Amino acid sequence: MKTLFKISALLFIFAFLFNCTKKEETPANLEVNNFIWKGLNAYYLWQADVPNLADTRFSNVQQLNAYLGQEPDANTFFESLLYQRNIIDKWSWIVDDYIALEQSFQGISKHNGMEFGLVAIPGSATDLFGYVRYVLPNSDASAQNVQRGMLFSAVDGTQITRSNYPNLLFNSDTYTINLADYNGGTPIANGTDISLTKSSYQENPVFISKTITASSTKIGYLMYNSFTPDFDGQLNAAFSAFKADGI
């Protein structure tokens, strides 16, 4: 019994010291950034392309903590670790509201309906321009007659750059895109402005579903934007139509 008691006591002391050490390793004010860094370091698709996520980037916990403490805002810290945001990585996101997270699984988010991409302006190390990839139906962008293929080089009168695009396009519910003409790949403002406002929007992920006949062959074309269980009926209907068309 004495031996068993000693072993139990030693295990308790070890567990106590281990927990204390773990708490000391990650100060409370760094826990969120630590969670973000470790998650991206372990699972991020482009981890190898981000030097600050390298397994050998920090030689000890103190160095890591010093890095984590450089940016107190968790959203900004998260964005700083993404690889070419909206150019290569167009999908990573973070939320601190579990209700918003649950809604996102249902296809509900704050959206103005304009899906866009960003491209570097040739010859510039900083400037970008945007292009409209497509417009969601029954959205504000649709009501404002935003069209696929439109270009915009500025937002609210400010040139889009690699450093300011998150603040211009993601951190505001209302903004104005300043349209531009292609001009051989170096867009120039054309004087047309469109103001867009984000609101709660539930997106049907079955964006396009149609049968295309090429010569004598029928081809099913489906543009499916997310795995949203609320719209499984629409997805099944699309495949039923494909089957009926004999693709």
Side-chain angles (χ1 to χ4, degrees):
M1 286 295 292
K2 286 183 178 180
T3 301
L4 181 60
F5 175 81
K6 288 180 180 178
I7 292 174
S8 299
L10 287 172
L11 288 174
F12 174 80
I13 292 170
F14 175 80
F16 176 80
L17 292 174
F18 179 79
N19 287 332
C20 288
T21 302
K22 294 297 285 185
K23 289 180 180 178
E24 289 171 2
E25 286 182 354
T26 306
N29 65 312
L30 301 180
E31 286 182 351
V32 174
N33 282 4
N34 184 59
F35 174 81
I36 292 170
W37 188 89
K38 286 186 176 178
L40 291 173
N41 168 261
Y43 302 112
Y44 190 46
L45 180 61
W46 293 283
Q47 184 255 2
D49 298 303
V50 181
N52 283 330
L53 289 176
D55 294 337
T56 57
R57 173 66 177 83
F58 306 103
S59 58
N60 53 56
V61 174
Q62 289 71 31
Q63 287 185 6
L64 174 60
N65 287 344
Y67 171 74
L68 298 177
Q70 291 177 7
E71 176 50 65
D73 183 77
N75 288 305
T76 303
F77 180 70
F78 175 76
E79 291 289 336
S80 73
L81 290 171
L82 302 185
Y83 180 59
Q84 295 189 33
R85 179 63 144 163
N86 287 313
I87 297 174
I88 299 298
D89 181 359
K90 305 173 184 177
W91 301 275
S92 297
W93 51 282
I94 187 172
V95 297
D96 57 4
D97 184 340
Y98 80 92
I99 294 177
L101 181 62
E102 290 291 336
Q103 288 180 334
S104 72
F105 294 150
Q106 301 169 39
I108 301 172
S109 64
K110 265 197 167 183
H111 211 309
N112 58 32
M114 181 182 75
E115 292 287 353
F116 62 90
L118 296 173
V119 179
I121 293 179
S124 174
T126 59
D127 294 349
L128 309 173
F129 71 89
Y131 64 94
V132 180
R133 297 174 58 232
Y134 59 91
V135 177
L136 298 174
N138 305 314
S139 65
D140 188 48
S142 176
Q144 301 301 327
N145 201 34
V146 175
Q147 300 290 323
R148 169 181 166 86
M150 282 182 169
L151 305 181
F152 55 98
S153 57
V155 175
D156 294 330
T158 301
Q159 171 65 49
I160 306 170
T161 68
R162 293 179 184 273
S163 61
N164 70 13
Y165 72 84
N167 187 56
L168 292 177
L169 292 164
F170 296 102
N171 297 339
S172 177
D173 287 345
T174 299
Y175 57 76
T176 298
I177 56 173
N178 310 120
L179 300 187
D181 296 326
Y182 184 62
N183 189 39
T186 306
I188 184 171
N190 60 24
T192 301
D193 303 326
I194 300 177
S195 181
L196 298 171
T197 300
K198 298 176 184 178
S199 60
S200 181
Y201 182 87
Q202 185 170 31
E203 179 183 356
N204 178 355
V206 184
F207 184 69
I208 299 175
S209 175
K210 62 181 179 181
T211 298
I212 301 170
T213 301
S215 298
S216 59
T217 302
K218 289 186 175 182
I219 303 167
Y221 178 84
L222 175 71
M223 182 173 176
Y224 186 63
N225 287 329
S226 66
F227 295 96
T228 310
D230 285 15
F231 291 90
D232 283 351
Q234 286 84 339
L235 182 61
N236 289 335
F239 278 94
S240 294
F242 289 153
K243 183 178 180 180
D245 288 343
I247 64 168

